Amino acid sequence: GGRGRGRRMMPPPQVKGPPMNSDITFPEMRVVVANPDGKDDMLGVLSREEALAAADERGVDLVLISPDAVPPVCKIINYDKLRYENEKKEKLKKKNQKQMDLKEVKLSYKIDVHDYDVRKRAAYKFLSKGDKVKASIRFKGREMAHKQLAQKTLLQLCADCEDIAVVEKRPSMEGRMMQVIMAPNVEALKAAEKAKAASGKKQKRAEKGKKGKKGALPPGMADELGLSEDESEDDEDDDDLDLEALNAGIDDGEDEDEDEEEDEGGDGADYDLDSLSVDELGAKIDDVGGQ
């Protein structure tokens, strides 16, 4: 007869999790036992047989916790409960891990001081929240001749954010765009968070001391307690920063130039027309016409 096809043997399913009970082969081990308070009681160094007997006596499992310790550490616990606790810890850990996004801040090689400060605050805010920042400058037409100015602007931004950021990619050209990428400095952010937490506790104590007192605080006292209204308004302004609007302002450079020309030519008069006599008004008109 013909040869039959051999049946493919499937590997046995692998059991995930640490070795437990009879699968533990160490001759002796340090044994702890879980108590209802959530803390562990030390039973000491036991032989394999003694440890298995202690687990069997309690009607739970002997689970290998630290195989590399000398001697290895095992725990007497309900394994299903241990697995549930571990899964709960992993879920909490993933929940606390923030997704790092890449935010873009667009600048111009001829950006003015105010606009630069606005974008610097935006970059600083993103970095402090754990996001990466890509700062870019796009060149139009003959602006390619100003690469050095653009590089200087991007390096200045890196220097202004160096206390909470590291430069992941130095200024480089991609087509008609020069860009730099900064990543948050994790250690610096942790230190800043600790300082912020300490400052928050101090402010809460100050606010508690403020409660129950009638009347306004003496001048200057609000600033000393960190309760300045100006600071809170600044924070709200920072939170309301619209990155798309900022970047759109850079892309629409011609509109900015028109606005600047209107600002330069639209200075208001420093006198009240109604208070001038006819002769004085004629003199003012002559002055404006002669400019």
PDB file of all heavy atoms in Angstrom, residues 24 86 133 170 235 241 246 261:
ATOM      1  N   ILE A  24       9.317  22.977  41.609  1.00  0.00           N
ATOM      2  CA  ILE A  24      10.488  23.615  42.229  1.00  0.00           C
ATOM      3  C   ILE A  24      11.470  22.504  42.615  1.00  0.00           C
ATOM      4  O   ILE A  24      11.125  21.583  43.363  1.00  0.00           O
ATOM      5  CB  ILE A  24      10.069  24.436  43.459  1.00  0.00           C
ATOM      6  CG1 ILE A  24       9.060  25.519  43.051  1.00  0.00           C
ATOM      7  CG2 ILE A  24      11.290  25.066  44.117  1.00  0.00           C
ATOM      8  CD1 ILE A  24       8.475  26.286  44.222  1.00  0.00           C
ATOM      9  N   ASN A  86      -0.287  40.608  40.294  1.00  0.00           N
ATOM     10  CA  ASN A  86       0.743  40.976  39.309  1.00  0.00           C
ATOM     11  C   ASN A  86       0.127  41.617  38.071  1.00  0.00           C
ATOM     12  O   ASN A  86       0.656  42.599  37.535  1.00  0.00           O
ATOM     13  CB  ASN A  86       1.559  39.745  38.912  1.00  0.00           C
ATOM     14  CG  ASN A  86       2.449  39.254  40.038  1.00  0.00           C
ATOM     15  OD1 ASN A  86       2.764  40.005  40.965  1.00  0.00           O
ATOM     16  ND2 ASN A  86       2.869  38.002  39.970  1.00  0.00           N
ATOM     17  N   VAL A 133       9.788  67.573  20.868  1.00  0.00           N
ATOM     18  CA  VAL A 133       9.481  68.795  20.117  1.00  0.00           C
ATOM     19  C   VAL A 133      10.361  68.856  18.872  1.00  0.00           C
ATOM     20  O   VAL A 133      11.577  68.683  18.955  1.00  0.00           O
ATOM     21  CB  VAL A 133       9.712  70.058  20.973  1.00  0.00           C
ATOM     22  CG1 VAL A 133       9.643  71.311  20.117  1.00  0.00           C
ATOM     23  CG2 VAL A 133       8.668  70.144  22.078  1.00  0.00           C
ATOM     24  N   ARG A 170      20.403  67.247  15.885  1.00  0.00           N
ATOM     25  CA  ARG A 170      20.878  68.617  15.702  1.00  0.00           C
ATOM     26  C   ARG A 170      20.286  69.220  14.426  1.00  0.00           C
ATOM     27  O   ARG A 170      19.770  68.498  13.571  1.00  0.00           O
ATOM     28  CB  ARG A 170      22.404  68.649  15.651  1.00  0.00           C
ATOM     29  CG  ARG A 170      23.048  68.312  16.996  1.00  0.00           C
ATOM     30  CD  ARG A 170      24.553  68.493  16.932  1.00  0.00           C
ATOM     31  NE  ARG A 170      24.914  69.877  16.614  1.00  0.00           N
ATOM     32  CZ  ARG A 170      24.925  70.868  17.489  1.00  0.00           C
ATOM     33  NH1 ARG A 170      24.564  70.646  18.742  1.00  0.00           N
ATOM     34  NH2 ARG A 170      25.278  72.076  17.120  1.00  0.00           N
ATOM     35  N   ASP A 235      -0.556  81.343  33.617  1.00  0.00           N
ATOM     36  CA  ASP A 235      -0.705  79.903  33.456  1.00  0.00           C
ATOM     37  C   ASP A 235      -1.870  79.581  32.535  1.00  0.00           C
ATOM     38  O   ASP A 235      -1.795  78.684  31.697  1.00  0.00           O
ATOM     39  CB  ASP A 235      -0.916  79.225  34.818  1.00  0.00           C
ATOM     40  CG  ASP A 235       0.343  79.271  35.661  1.00  0.00           C
ATOM     41  OD1 ASP A 235       1.424  79.466  35.060  1.00  0.00           O
ATOM     42  OD2 ASP A 235       0.232  79.134  36.896  1.00  0.00           O
ATOM     43  N   LEU A 241      -2.523  78.123  24.731  1.00  0.00           N
ATOM     44  CA  LEU A 241      -1.703  78.270  23.536  1.00  0.00           C
ATOM     45  C   LEU A 241      -2.211  77.340  22.439  1.00  0.00           C
ATOM     46  O   LEU A 241      -2.360  76.149  22.636  1.00  0.00           O
ATOM     47  CB  LEU A 241      -0.241  77.920  23.863  1.00  0.00           C
ATOM     48  CG  LEU A 241       0.566  79.008  24.582  1.00  0.00           C
ATOM     49  CD1 LEU A 241       1.922  78.475  24.966  1.00  0.00           C
ATOM     50  CD2 LEU A 241       0.700  80.235  23.707  1.00  0.00           C
ATOM     51  N   LEU A 246      -0.241  79.230  16.041  1.00  0.00           N
ATOM     52  CA  LEU A 246       1.135  79.729  16.036  1.00  0.00           C
ATOM     53  C   LEU A 246       1.835  79.359  14.741  1.00  0.00           C
ATOM     54  O   LEU A 246       2.477  80.185  14.097  1.00  0.00           O
ATOM     55  CB  LEU A 246       1.906  79.139  17.222  1.00  0.00           C
ATOM     56  CG  LEU A 246       1.518  79.606  18.623  1.00  0.00           C
ATOM     57  CD1 LEU A 246       2.324  78.842  19.664  1.00  0.00           C
ATOM     58  CD2 LEU A 246       1.753  81.090  18.772  1.00  0.00           C
ATOM     59  N   GLU A 261       3.337  96.486   8.540  1.00  0.00           N
ATOM     60  CA  GLU A 261       3.288  97.779   7.869  1.00  0.00           C
ATOM     61  C   GLU A 261       2.130  98.617   8.395  1.00  0.00           C
ATOM     62  O   GLU A 261       2.247  99.829   8.571  1.00  0.00           O
ATOM     63  CB  GLU A 261       3.130  97.555   6.361  1.00  0.00           C
ATOM     64  CG  GLU A 261       4.384  96.949   5.723  1.00  0.00           C
ATOM     65  CD  GLU A 261       4.172  96.634   4.249  1.00  0.00           C
ATOM     66  OE1 GLU A 261       3.069  96.946   3.744  1.00  0.00           O
ATOM     67  OE2 GLU A 261       5.090  96.122   3.622  1.00  0.00           O
TER      68      GLU A 261
END
